[in-house]
Amino acid sequence: MDGTVAHLKRGQKAIIKEIADGALPIKLLELGCLPGNSVELVQVAPLNDPIYINVNGSHIAIRRAMAALIQVTLTEEAQTEQ
Amino acid sequence: MSKQINVALIGNPNTGKTSVFNQLTGLKQKVGNYPGITVEKKEGVCKLDRGVKAHILDLPGTYSLNTTSLDESVAVEILLNKKDKNHPDVAVVVCDVENLKRNLLLFTQIKDLRIPTILVINMADRMSRSGISLDIPLLEEKLDTKIALVSTRNATGIDRLKELIIGYQTLSANPNIDPSVIAPDYFKKLEETFPEQERYKLWLVITQDVNFMPIEKQLIKDRSSFATKSKSELKRLQQKETILRYQFINGLLKETYRVDRNAAKGFRAGLDKVFTHKIFGYLIFFLILLAIFQAIYGWSKYPQGIIEDFFAMASEWVKTTLPPGVFTELLAEGILSGIGGIVVFVPQIAFLFLFIALLEETGYMSRVVFLMDKLMRPFGLSGKSVVPLISGTACAIPAVMATRTIENWKERLITILVTPFTTCSARLPVYLIIVALVIPEGRFLGLSYQALTLMLLYLLGFGAAIVSAMLLNKVLKIKSRSFFVIEMPGYKAPLLKNVAYTVWEKTKSFVVGAGKIILAIAIILWFLGSNGFSDDFENAENIVRKRIATNGLSEFNALAMADSLAVYKKALKDSVQKKVYRIGDTAISDSLKLRTNELTRQATNQEIASYRLENSYMGHLGKVIAPVVRPLGYDWKIGIAVLTSFAAREVFVGTLATIYSVGSDEENTDTITQRMGAEIDPITKKPVFNLASGISLLLFYAFAMQCMSTLAVVKRETNSWKWPALQLVFMSVFAYLVALAAYQLLS
């Protein structure tokens, strides 16, 4: 199943598919947000934004608008977990 | 002659870089700013073996050499510019063992600059708990470097690091990666155009969108044969470069780094669940804010009282010991009380930074940003602005210093500029006395009008801060990082040594850095208030004594004295009647005479002081500005008090006490309140402090920048006079207009 990081539910995991070209700050890539890496939604802030993700071992918080630019494929493991 | 090795410490944020710095330098460190900008510069000296010394520069934390903020540009500039006096002989890259993969990205970039580089793998004490094992020799070989495995918590590995620094000349300066594979043609052209330059350095100069090294940047632009690529193309190449580096790192970590995934994962997750919880998250943050507030508002009072008493005693001692004269007066009234006025803030600053250092060290601060981001976003502020804004309710000075934790310069500047609007504790004495004078007693929905007014004033302060933040967010054209990416570091027990360093360093920087300005202004204000050019000032004592001899004390003082004596007499008579004292009528009249003399002496001194102040430079200034403050409903006496309270708002009350020649007692403001209530405007024949002028004063003090210490701190924190000047003008003009409108509407 495909979607973006913004669609993930808490605890759900996915693999990063592609990143909208040039739309993301290079900093996010440096923190490990690269195609092929795994991403997990750890927490959602009380007002639903920002979100807290674990990407490739980096724990970072980003806003939903940015998360929506990261295309992912949900992994089986996460889907059965839910 | 010992030689000095230039060492640059560099690393990602949250890797314990500062701990390594503290371990290396101890207390031999200096914190300042890079010239012309607000980026903090930390440097220190480390004594190595064989009489060699190392100059350690702690560069701002950065994730890579791709800069997105001024702090990072500074780091990159120093690394690139060989002519910079801070350019390192050896770079020490600090990594966190738990985030080695990400941290190594920066390492490979620095290595590619051909700077001799040492790798510090920090937090070694966490390896066993996190189930990590490392093959250090193999890693050294693959990265072509030397590694020091360090635990700043247990103070291990620092000696090895020092040895590596001494032997830095044996380190390899060969690059790890050949970045030209991402665009072979492009890099080839680069090399042909600039044969004398290093490739990776050129690449950085081209891709970084900051104004460092203008000459070299211009050079690249000037070569017409060299076509600069479009921005998006460059960005794509940077993306490629990042992927290339991660491929290299993944490859080598596969062979050298093992982690048992099951070990200790629940700890962070469990804490995060509580700290970022919809209800508990806010509740915990609220409680922490409450504790901070209690500390700087409540606990600080005791050490502050001791400091005030100490300086009062010292001033008294100087006055009685040294021969009287201009110098003694300058020392006792100007310098000593000026220094006292600086040191008195130390407890508040120390308490606030104790809390902030703890929040930062434990990793909690990032959770605050996460929790508050959505709420603060509309105002152009971040979650980190909340701590300064709330602390500002106690005192703006530590609050402005607390903005150092905000990385984004625009957010930080906005927070600095709006924090003085929040109702600090120095406004309270002014508010209390005026509210008591002009707000009628009575209740509305069970709350007294006076309490409601106070509450409104607090809300007004917050409102002004928030609204001006919104405005500034629109108006300020400062290029800053527009995106929001915050690392959520793991939770750690705070290193008390680091906390202690932070508290010490902040306190010192306030006393030394901002103190100079505060002392200078304090001495100027003291000079203006205690010197004058007219004969009236010179002969104040004779004039007033003569006046009292012919006309008696002022009406208010005479009445107050009569009241006081009547009370005293009654008390005496009562106690004689109840046989507490067995004394005769002569003794009573003697005692009354003594009392009368003492009260007359006090009142005379007060009237002399009042006369002197009226005829001092400050008094003349007050009369000069009288027409300006007249439309606000103030007379020249209030004008003087407004001027002197530029030192600090609470001085308003003391100045009025002097001017009205009544005693000023901080504990008991009844007399001054009575005296203010009795002041009649000679023109209108109405009380000077009425509802209209009272509200006007309250609003003026709510908005005006009446605090030289805050200005000094803002100067220090923004590293320029521009922002404090702007703040002073904006706040004062705004306060004036609001007070004007209020008085004109109400009178």
Side-chain angles (χ1 to χ4, degrees), chain B residues 658-674:
Chain B
T658 308
I659 283 214
Y660 292 143
S661 66
V662 293
S664 72
D665 181 358
E666 267 180 46
E667 309 298 319
N668 180 4
T669 52
D670 286 354
T671 320
I672 175 69
T673 314
Q674 267 178 26

PDB file of all heavy atoms in Angstrom, chain B residues 658-674:
ATOM      1  N   THR B 658      11.343  60.641  47.366  1.00  0.00           N
ATOM      2  CA  THR B 658      12.322  61.711  47.585  1.00  0.00           C
ATOM      3  C   THR B 658      11.726  63.069  47.212  1.00  0.00           C
ATOM      4  O   THR B 658      11.845  64.048  47.943  1.00  0.00           O
ATOM      5  CB  THR B 658      13.566  61.464  46.711  1.00  0.00           C
ATOM      6  OG1 THR B 658      14.006  60.134  46.940  1.00  0.00           O
ATOM      7  CG2 THR B 658      14.667  62.442  47.043  1.00  0.00           C
ATOM      8  N   ILE B 659      11.075  63.117  46.052  1.00  0.00           N
ATOM      9  CA  ILE B 659      10.534  64.385  45.560  1.00  0.00           C
ATOM     10  C   ILE B 659       9.460  64.931  46.490  1.00  0.00           C
ATOM     11  O   ILE B 659       9.383  66.135  46.751  1.00  0.00           O
ATOM     12  CB  ILE B 659       9.973  64.172  44.152  1.00  0.00           C
ATOM     13  CG1 ILE B 659      11.135  64.122  43.187  1.00  0.00           C
ATOM     14  CG2 ILE B 659       8.982  65.244  43.782  1.00  0.00           C
ATOM     15  CD1 ILE B 659      10.848  64.691  41.869  1.00  0.00           C
ATOM     16  N   TYR B 660       8.628  64.018  46.997  1.00  0.00           N
ATOM     17  CA  TYR B 660       7.573  64.468  47.899  1.00  0.00           C
ATOM     18  C   TYR B 660       8.100  64.593  49.330  1.00  0.00           C
ATOM     19  O   TYR B 660       7.329  64.748  50.267  1.00  0.00           O
ATOM     20  CB  TYR B 660       6.383  63.506  47.852  1.00  0.00           C
ATOM     21  CG  TYR B 660       5.647  63.534  46.532  1.00  0.00           C
ATOM     22  CD1 TYR B 660       5.131  62.375  45.982  1.00  0.00           C
ATOM     23  CD2 TYR B 660       5.461  64.733  45.847  1.00  0.00           C
ATOM     24  CE1 TYR B 660       4.454  62.398  44.779  1.00  0.00           C
ATOM     25  CE2 TYR B 660       4.795  64.763  44.642  1.00  0.00           C
ATOM     26  CZ  TYR B 660       4.290  63.601  44.105  1.00  0.00           C
ATOM     27  OH  TYR B 660       3.631  63.619  42.914  1.00  0.00           O
ATOM     28  N   SER B 661       9.395  64.468  49.472  1.00  0.00           N
ATOM     29  CA  SER B 661      10.092  64.548  50.752  1.00  0.00           C
ATOM     30  C   SER B 661       9.418  63.742  51.849  1.00  0.00           C
ATOM     31  O   SER B 661       9.155  64.224  52.932  1.00  0.00           O
ATOM     32  CB  SER B 661      10.281  66.009  51.175  1.00  0.00           C
ATOM     33  OG  SER B 661       9.054  66.613  51.444  1.00  0.00           O
ATOM     34  N   VAL B 662       9.108  62.499  51.526  1.00  0.00           N
ATOM     35  CA  VAL B 662       8.671  61.566  52.568  1.00  0.00           C
ATOM     36  C   VAL B 662       9.666  60.414  52.591  1.00  0.00           C
ATOM     37  O   VAL B 662      10.398  60.208  51.623  1.00  0.00           O
ATOM     38  CB  VAL B 662       7.248  61.019  52.320  1.00  0.00           C
ATOM     39  CG1 VAL B 662       6.244  62.140  52.447  1.00  0.00           C
ATOM     40  CG2 VAL B 662       7.143  60.334  50.985  1.00  0.00           C
ATOM     41  N   GLY B 663       9.697  59.693  53.681  1.00  0.00           N
ATOM     42  CA  GLY B 663      10.621  58.577  53.768  1.00  0.00           C
ATOM     43  C   GLY B 663      10.205  57.503  52.777  1.00  0.00           C
ATOM     44  O   GLY B 663       9.024  57.289  52.525  1.00  0.00           O
ATOM     45  N   SER B 664      11.186  56.823  52.204  1.00  0.00           N
ATOM     46  CA  SER B 664      10.822  55.713  51.323  1.00  0.00           C
ATOM     47  C   SER B 664      11.221  54.417  51.995  1.00  0.00           C
ATOM     48  O   SER B 664      12.379  54.192  52.291  1.00  0.00           O
ATOM     49  CB  SER B 664      11.523  55.859  49.975  1.00  0.00           C
ATOM     50  OG  SER B 664      12.871  55.590  50.104  1.00  0.00           O
ATOM     51  N   ASP B 665      10.234  53.647  52.256  1.00  0.00           N
ATOM     52  CA  ASP B 665      10.461  52.375  52.929  1.00  0.00           C
ATOM     53  C   ASP B 665       9.840  51.310  52.053  1.00  0.00           C
ATOM     54  O   ASP B 665       8.650  51.351  51.764  1.00  0.00           O
ATOM     55  CB  ASP B 665       9.790  52.409  54.309  1.00  0.00           C
ATOM     56  CG  ASP B 665      10.015  51.117  55.067  1.00  0.00           C
ATOM     57  OD1 ASP B 665      10.654  50.210  54.499  1.00  0.00           O
ATOM     58  OD2 ASP B 665       9.553  51.034  56.209  1.00  0.00           O
ATOM     59  N   GLU B 666      10.692  50.351  51.608  1.00  0.00           N
ATOM     60  CA  GLU B 666      10.176  49.349  50.681  1.00  0.00           C
ATOM     61  C   GLU B 666       9.091  48.492  51.302  1.00  0.00           C
ATOM     62  O   GLU B 666       8.159  48.073  50.648  1.00  0.00           O
ATOM     63  CB  GLU B 666      11.323  48.447  50.214  1.00  0.00           C
ATOM     64  CG  GLU B 666      11.950  48.930  48.927  1.00  0.00           C
ATOM     65  CD  GLU B 666      13.062  48.014  48.498  1.00  0.00           C
ATOM     66  OE1 GLU B 666      12.869  46.787  48.525  1.00  0.00           O
ATOM     67  OE2 GLU B 666      14.140  48.532  48.140  1.00  0.00           O
ATOM     68  N   GLU B 667       9.225  48.230  52.596  1.00  0.00           N
ATOM     69  CA  GLU B 667       8.264  47.331  53.251  1.00  0.00           C
ATOM     70  C   GLU B 667       6.919  48.029  53.457  1.00  0.00           C
ATOM     71  O   GLU B 667       5.868  47.419  53.384  1.00  0.00           O
ATOM     72  CB  GLU B 667       8.803  46.866  54.609  1.00  0.00           C
ATOM     73  CG  GLU B 667      10.210  46.311  54.570  1.00  0.00           C
ATOM     74  CD  GLU B 667      10.316  45.085  53.692  1.00  0.00           C
ATOM     75  OE1 GLU B 667       9.397  44.253  53.740  1.00  0.00           O
ATOM     76  OE2 GLU B 667      11.316  44.973  52.951  1.00  0.00           O
ATOM     77  N   ASN B 668       6.987  49.326  53.730  1.00  0.00           N
ATOM     78  CA  ASN B 668       5.780  50.031  54.096  1.00  0.00           C
ATOM     79  C   ASN B 668       5.573  51.216  53.164  1.00  0.00           C
ATOM     80  O   ASN B 668       6.266  52.217  53.252  1.00  0.00           O
ATOM     81  CB  ASN B 668       5.904  50.488  55.569  1.00  0.00           C
ATOM     82  CG  ASN B 668       4.668  51.224  56.019  1.00  0.00           C
ATOM     83  OD1 ASN B 668       3.693  51.330  55.272  1.00  0.00           O
ATOM     84  ND2 ASN B 668       4.727  51.738  57.225  1.00  0.00           N
ATOM     85  N   THR B 669       4.618  51.077  52.269  1.00  0.00           N
ATOM     86  CA  THR B 669       4.408  52.139  51.286  1.00  0.00           C
ATOM     87  C   THR B 669       3.219  53.019  51.654  1.00  0.00           C
ATOM     88  O   THR B 669       2.773  53.824  50.843  1.00  0.00           O
ATOM     89  CB  THR B 669       4.185  51.543  49.889  1.00  0.00           C
ATOM     90  OG1 THR B 669       3.161  50.566  49.978  1.00  0.00           O
ATOM     91  CG2 THR B 669       5.443  50.934  49.334  1.00  0.00           C
ATOM     92  N   ASP B 670       2.707  52.876  52.890  1.00  0.00           N
ATOM     93  CA  ASP B 670       1.518  53.644  53.271  1.00  0.00           C
ATOM     94  C   ASP B 670       1.757  55.147  53.182  1.00  0.00           C
ATOM     95  O   ASP B 670       0.950  55.894  52.644  1.00  0.00           O
ATOM     96  CB  ASP B 670       1.085  53.288  54.708  1.00  0.00           C
ATOM     97  CG  ASP B 670       0.444  51.918  54.753  1.00  0.00           C
ATOM     98  OD1 ASP B 670       0.249  51.341  53.651  1.00  0.00           O
ATOM     99  OD2 ASP B 670       0.147  51.426  55.840  1.00  0.00           O
ATOM    100  N   THR B 671       2.908  55.588  53.723  1.00  0.00           N
ATOM    101  CA  THR B 671       3.172  57.022  53.765  1.00  0.00           C
ATOM    102  C   THR B 671       3.236  57.610  52.361  1.00  0.00           C
ATOM    103  O   THR B 671       2.593  58.618  52.079  1.00  0.00           O
ATOM    104  CB  THR B 671       4.521  57.280  54.462  1.00  0.00           C
ATOM    105  OG1 THR B 671       4.622  56.397  55.560  1.00  0.00           O
ATOM    106  CG2 THR B 671       4.618  58.710  54.918  1.00  0.00           C
ATOM    107  N   ILE B 672       4.003  56.952  51.504  1.00  0.00           N
ATOM    108  CA  ILE B 672       4.151  57.496  50.158  1.00  0.00           C
ATOM    109  C   ILE B 672       2.805  57.457  49.431  1.00  0.00           C
ATOM    110  O   ILE B 672       2.459  58.386  48.706  1.00  0.00           O
ATOM    111  CB  ILE B 672       5.284  56.780  49.374  1.00  0.00           C
ATOM    112  CG1 ILE B 672       5.356  57.254  47.919  1.00  0.00           C
ATOM    113  CG2 ILE B 672       5.165  55.294  49.392  1.00  0.00           C
ATOM    114  CD1 ILE B 672       5.822  58.659  47.771  1.00  0.00           C
ATOM    115  N   THR B 673       2.038  56.395  49.656  1.00  0.00           N
ATOM    116  CA  THR B 673       0.718  56.325  49.013  1.00  0.00           C
ATOM    117  C   THR B 673      -0.158  57.488  49.482  1.00  0.00           C
ATOM    118  O   THR B 673      -0.810  58.157  48.678  1.00  0.00           O
ATOM    119  CB  THR B 673       0.023  54.987  49.332  1.00  0.00           C
ATOM    120  OG1 THR B 673       0.955  53.934  49.147  1.00  0.00           O
ATOM    121  CG2 THR B 673      -1.179  54.774  48.445  1.00  0.00           C
ATOM    122  N   GLN B 674      -0.154  57.741  50.803  1.00  0.00           N
ATOM    123  CA  GLN B 674      -0.939  58.854  51.359  1.00  0.00           C
ATOM    124  C   GLN B 674      -0.496  60.179  50.749  1.00  0.00           C
ATOM    125  O   GLN B 674      -1.311  61.011  50.358  1.00  0.00           O
ATOM    126  CB  GLN B 674      -0.708  58.938  52.861  1.00  0.00           C
ATOM    127  CG  GLN B 674      -1.709  58.176  53.690  1.00  0.00           C
ATOM    128  CD  GLN B 674      -1.335  58.299  55.154  1.00  0.00           C
ATOM    129  OE1 GLN B 674      -0.695  59.268  55.567  1.00  0.00           O
ATOM    130  NE2 GLN B 674      -1.727  57.308  55.937  1.00  0.00           N
TER     131      GLN B 674
END
